[in-house]
């Protein structure tokens, strides 16, 4: 029944936001009564919306970096996708990352970059194919933040190790390279999520794609290249990207 009614993720998002017309609301609600999986998805969307509002409520007055605004405005997407208004209500740059990620992930294929590309460097580090200068095992974010000064010296800007515990990922180790660093996180099942950081080449970039069973997200401004990778869903990557941005720069 759900397939016949063509209830899409965009319909669910618009329904949760109260942006569907009356006929479409009835169609979604009728389908949800007949399809427990759809009803669960609607509940999950509502939970996610509440979680994001709770996380970002303190950031209502924080300005979005102009580069990310330009990216969001320039990204082409159908008018129907504009229904995802709750992604746009926050004014923190992390929410812009979530918006762009949500719109672009399914349309962006992996394209190998040039030699020295940040993504290639990050995946080499993740796969232990890069020469590491120092590895430090840690058991919590407090221990990891003892090395914030080392991160700052590598990146040339003030940052700190992000806390991702609210998403179930706990910092487990840090790798330091000559001009880069990798922060390792693991969830309760031991699954690895990596955050690779190095100075930017000055260009603005945002991509999400899948490669070798991993979801990869890169954002780059005029100061830092940040590459995240994990065997996770696109939705989880969006949330982790947002928390990572906030954690690095807060």
């Amino acid at each position: 029944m759900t397939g016949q009614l063509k209830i899409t993720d965009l319909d669910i998002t618009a329904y949760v936001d109260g942006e569907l017309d009356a006929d479409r609301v009835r169609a979604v609600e009728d389908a949800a009564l007949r399809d427990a999986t759809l009803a669960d998805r609607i509940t999950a969307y509502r939970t996610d919306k509440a979680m994001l509002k709770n996380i970002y409520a303190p950031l209502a007055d924080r300005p979005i970096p102009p580069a990310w605004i330009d990216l969001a405005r320039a990204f082409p997407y159908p008018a129907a996708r504009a229904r995802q208004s709750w992604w746009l209500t926050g004014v923190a740059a992390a929410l812009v990352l979530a918006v762009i990620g949500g719109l672009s992930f399914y349309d962006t294929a992996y394209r190998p970059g040039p030699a020295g590309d940040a993504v290639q460097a990050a995946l080499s580090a993740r796969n232990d194919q890069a020469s590491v200068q120092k590895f430090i095992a840690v058991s919590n974010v407090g221990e990891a933040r003892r090395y914030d000064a080392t991160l700052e010296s590598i990146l040339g800007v003030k940052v700190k190790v992000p806390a991702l515990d609210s998403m179930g990922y706990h910092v487990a180790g840090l790798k330091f390279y000559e001009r880069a660093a990798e922060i390792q996180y693991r969830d309760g099942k031991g699954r690895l999520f990596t955050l690779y950081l190095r100075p930017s080449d000055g260009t603005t970039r945002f991509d999400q794609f899948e490669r070798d069973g991993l979801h990869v997200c890169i954002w780059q401004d005029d100061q830092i290249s940040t590459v995240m990778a994990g065997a996770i869903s696109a939705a989880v990557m969006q949330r982790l990207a947002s928390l990572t941005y906030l954690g690095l720069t807060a």
Side-chain angles (χ1 to χ4, degrees), residues 99-110:
V99 174
I100 302 172
L103 298 176
S104 68
F105 178 82
Y106 299 102
D107 301 319
T108 304
Y110 173 71

Side-chain angles (χ1 to χ4, degrees), residues 39-78:
D40 288 343
R41 286 168 62 202
I42 292 172
T43 299
Y45 271 64
R46 284 180 170 143
T47 301
D48 286 349
K49 179 177 180 178
M51 179 191 71
L52 286 171
K53 282 187 174 180
N54 181 62
I55 290 171
Y56 299 121
L59 301 171
D61 297 321
R62 184 172 178 174
I64 301 173
W68 296 122
I69 295 175
D70 292 342
L71 273 177
R73 288 175 175 168
F75 193 88
Y77 57 94

Side-chain angles (χ1 to χ4, degrees), residues 103-186:
L103 298 176
S104 68
F105 178 82
Y106 299 102
D107 301 319
T108 304
Y110 173 71
R111 295 180 295 276
D117 176 73
V119 172
Q120 291 186 4
L123 295 180
S124 293
R126 180 185 170 94
N127 295 326
D128 296 321
Q129 296 171 345
S131 179
V132 63
Q133 292 186 336
K134 189 173 185 179
F135 172 76
I136 300 165
V138 295
S139 59
N140 56 63
V141 72
E143 290 182 11
R145 285 182 174 164
R146 296 174 186 171
Y147 302 93
D148 285 350
T150 304
L151 287 177
E152 292 176 24
S153 68
I154 291 172
L155 299 173
V157 294
K158 185 175 180 62
V159 295
K160 64 182 181 181
V161 174
L164 305 181
D165 302 73
S166 62
M167 284 294 297
Y169 281 85
H170 307 285
V171 64
L174 301 97
K175 293 180 182 176
F176 293 113
Y177 303 88
E178 183 177 356
R179 296 194 67 232
E182 180 190 79
I183 306 172
Q184 298 182 338
Y185 297 83
R186 293 192 182 273

